[in-house]
C-alpha cells in the first residue's frame, strides 16, 4: 500500500498569469482569489516564474507619500508579470509522495509547491493547508482504511484476532497476527494512511521470523 501522493491532496485548478499580465491585473488576481502569489506560465502552461505580494510591493518600496504614491501606481500599470516575476519556481511532481513534499515545504520555508505533470505542465498547487487538511479525516474513515488496506489486503490478518482503534487520528493496533515482520510492516503502513497522526503498535505475533520488515 502506498502513502498519499501529491495529486491526492493538491488543489486545482490553479490561478495563473501569462508573461504579459499587467501589474494591475496581477494585483486584482491576488485580491480576488485571496492568494499571496501567482505562478506565471508560458503558452504550454509550463511555469516560468512566480509573482508574489513582495514582488509587487518592492516596486513601490521607495515611493513617496501622498501624490507620489499615485505617480508610482500609474507607472506600475505598464509593468508585466515577465518583468516582475521571480524566475525560481518551487515545483513538485504530481506523483511524488506527500511526505517528501511536506518535508520540502518545511525545510525551505515555502507556502506552497506548484505541481507539474510528466511534461512539466502546471496541473495543481500543494499548499501547507492542503497537507494539514488530511488530518481532518474522520476517525471512522481512518479505521476502515487501516482495517481494509493494512490488515486485510497487505498482511492478510484476521480481523477476529487483530483490531484497530482510532482516537483523534491516533491509531492503536492490537491483537495477534502471525509473524513479527508483519507487526513491523503493519506499523509503517498505517503511518502512511492519510489522516493518521501517530500509531500505537500493540500487536503481538505468534512466530518470530527474525526479519525486520522495511518500507519499499
Amino acid at each position: 500500500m502506498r502513502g498519499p501522493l501529491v495529486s491526492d491532496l493538491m488543489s486545482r485548478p490553479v490561478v495563473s498569469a501569462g508573461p504579459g499580465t499587467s501589474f494591475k491585473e496581477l494585483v486584482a488576481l491576488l485580491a480576488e482569489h485571496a492568494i499571496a502569489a501567482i505562478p506565471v506560465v508560458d503558452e504550454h502552461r509550463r511555469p516560468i516564474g512566480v509573482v508574489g505580494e513582495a514582488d509587487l510591493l518592492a516596486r513601490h518600496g521607495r515611493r513617496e507619500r501622498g501624490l507620489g504614491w499615485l505617480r508610482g501606481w500609474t507607472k506600475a500599470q505598464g509593468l508585466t508579470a515577465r518583468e516582475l516575476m521571480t524566475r525560481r519556481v518551487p515545483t513538485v511532481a504530481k506523483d511524488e509522495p506527500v511526505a517528501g513534499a511536506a518535508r520540502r515545504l518545511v525545510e525551505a520555508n515555502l507556502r506552497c509547491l506548484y505541481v507539474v505533470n510528466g511534461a512539466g505542465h502546471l496541473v495543481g498547487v500543494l499548499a501547507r493547508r492542503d497537507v494539514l487538511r488530511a488530518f481532518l479525516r474522520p476517525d471512522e474513515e481512518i479505521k476502515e482504511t487501516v482495517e481494509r488496506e493494512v490488515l486485510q489486503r497487505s498482511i492478510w490478518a484476521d480481523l477476529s484476532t487483530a483490531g484497530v482503534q482510532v482516537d483523534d487520528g491516533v491509531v492503536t493496533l492490537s491483537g495477534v497476527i502471525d509473524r513479527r515482520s508483519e507487526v513491523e510492516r503493519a506499523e509503517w503502513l498505517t503511518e502512511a494512511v492519510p489522516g493518521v497522526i501517530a500509531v500505537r503498535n500493540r500487536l503481538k505475533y505468534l512466530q518470530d521470523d527474525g526479519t525486520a520488515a522495511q518500507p519499499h
Side-chain angles (χ1 to χ4, degrees):
M1 188 191 76
R2 67 167 174 82
L5 302 180
V6 168
S7 57
D8 296 325
L9 299 182
M10 71 183 188
S11 297
R12 64 181 122 184
V14 190
V15 179
S16 61
T21 304
S22 71
F23 180 98
K24 191 170 184 178
E25 290 173 316
L26 290 166
V27 173
L29 284 170
L30 293 181
E32 178 184 353
H33 298 281
I35 53 179
I38 187 168
V40 182
V41 298
D42 63 15
E43 64 273 21
H44 303 294
R45 285 200 61 77
R46 290 189 295 250
I48 58 175
V50 179
V51 176
E53 293 170 331
D55 299 308
L56 298 172
L57 290 172
R59 182 64 192 176
H60 298 289
R62 298 179 181 177
R63 68 191 178 200
E64 298 175 353
R65 295 181 179 179
L67 292 178
W69 185 89
L70 292 177
R71 287 195 296 271
W73 177 268
T74 302
K75 182 179 179 181
Q77 288 184 15
L79 296 177
T80 64
R82 181 184 290 105
E83 298 168 283
L84 293 162
M85 69 185 187
T86 299
R87 297 186 181 275
R88 293 184 62 184
V89 187
T91 60
V92 63
K94 71 173 188 175
D95 56 357
E96 181 174 326
V98 167
R103 188 161 49 249
R104 284 185 58 196
L105 287 170
V106 172
E107 291 177 352
N109 194 27
L110 298 170
R111 290 185 177 182
C112 68
L113 292 168
Y114 295 103
V115 186
V116 294
N117 61 17
H121 302 153
L122 183 67
V123 294
V125 59
L126 183 75
R128 291 186 176 191
R129 63 177 176 271
D130 296 317
V131 178
L132 292 174
R133 192 179 298 127
F135 294 108
L136 297 177
R137 193 178 185 192
D139 286 348
E140 187 58 33
E141 188 176 313
I142 295 173
K143 180 177 184 292
E144 292 174 358
T145 300
V146 174
E147 288 178 339
R148 182 182 64 252
E149 300 295 337
V150 177
L151 295 186
Q152 292 182 303
R153 293 186 180 176
S154 296
I155 65 174
W156 299 81
D158 186 344
L159 293 184
S160 67
T161 60
V164 180
Q165 181 179 336
V166 185
D167 295 299
D168 291 333
V170 178
V171 178
T172 300
L173 302 174
S174 61
V176 180
I177 58 178
D178 290 337
R179 293 184 293 274
R180 173 186 171 186
S181 61
E182 291 174 344
V183 171
E184 298 168 357
R185 187 162 181 251
E187 182 171 341
W188 56 257
L189 285 174
T190 300
E191 288 174 342
V193 171
V196 172
I197 295 174
V199 178
R200 295 171 179 164
N201 193 348
R202 296 174 181 167
L203 286 169
K204 299 183 183 302
Y205 53 87
L206 297 174
Q207 177 185 349
D208 187 348
D209 53 8
T211 303
Q214 298 295 326
H216 297 292

